Amino acid sequence: MIRGLKAPSFMDLALKAAENAGKAGEVPIGCVVVRNDEVIATAGNRTLTDRDPTAHAEILALRAAAAKIGSERLVDCDLYVTLEPCTMCAGAISFARVRRLYYGAADPKGGAVESGVRFFAQPTCHHAPDVYSGVGESEAARLLREFFRERR
């Protein structure tokens, strides 16, 4: 466990998970779940590796965090992710009752927090975390740009 890291350092860990996902051929997105200043889960995208369209970094980290604390409710947890969550991930974040969401780069095409459907602003949303965008944005965007540039 890593204790006592501050917000930018938690995003640095998410960025490292994103970098590792990219090296594995996955879209470079990383996620960290923190509880009481302790990292309880870290994940990078694994949709190709797992042959699972739901294996986004956020989903994998939420699953690991829930298993770690023995509850599907992550009410005292904060989630750091390098890219604005999609609708599926925003829904999972809501159902998990995550306290705070910190994300790096905006995703105007696939994001669902401050882009697209704005999931947390919908009347059908059960729980909306506090949202902080732009944390580690330039590094997260750089990883994504380089990843996709190499594939074009």
Side-chain angles (χ1 to χ4, degrees), residues 22 25-28 142-151:
E26 301 281 355
V27 175
R142 184 192 63 74
L143 284 171
L144 288 161
R145 269 193 316 275
E146 288 178 3
F147 177 82
F148 287 111
R149 185 180 312 127
E150 291 173 8
R151 276 146 185 79

Side-chain angles (χ1 to χ4, degrees), residues 54-124:
T54 69
H56 290 197
E58 300 95 308
I59 299 296
L60 297 172
L62 288 169
R63 287 176 183 161
K68 171 85 175 172
I69 68 171
S71 175
E72 75 284 5
R73 300 286 189 237
L74 305 176
V75 295
D76 295 327
C77 295
D78 300 332
L79 187 143
Y80 295 77
V81 64
T82 58
L83 184 67
E84 179 181 2
C86 69
T87 305
M88 174 183 69
C89 293
I93 289 164
S94 176
F95 285 128
R97 307 295 194 268
V98 168
R99 177 178 55 189
R100 292 183 201 105
L101 165 64
Y102 299 85
Y103 73 85
D107 186 358
K109 186 174 178 181
V113 176
E114 294 175 333
S115 304
V117 301
R118 297 177 185 252
F119 186 87
F120 300 129
Q122 300 305 312
T124 54

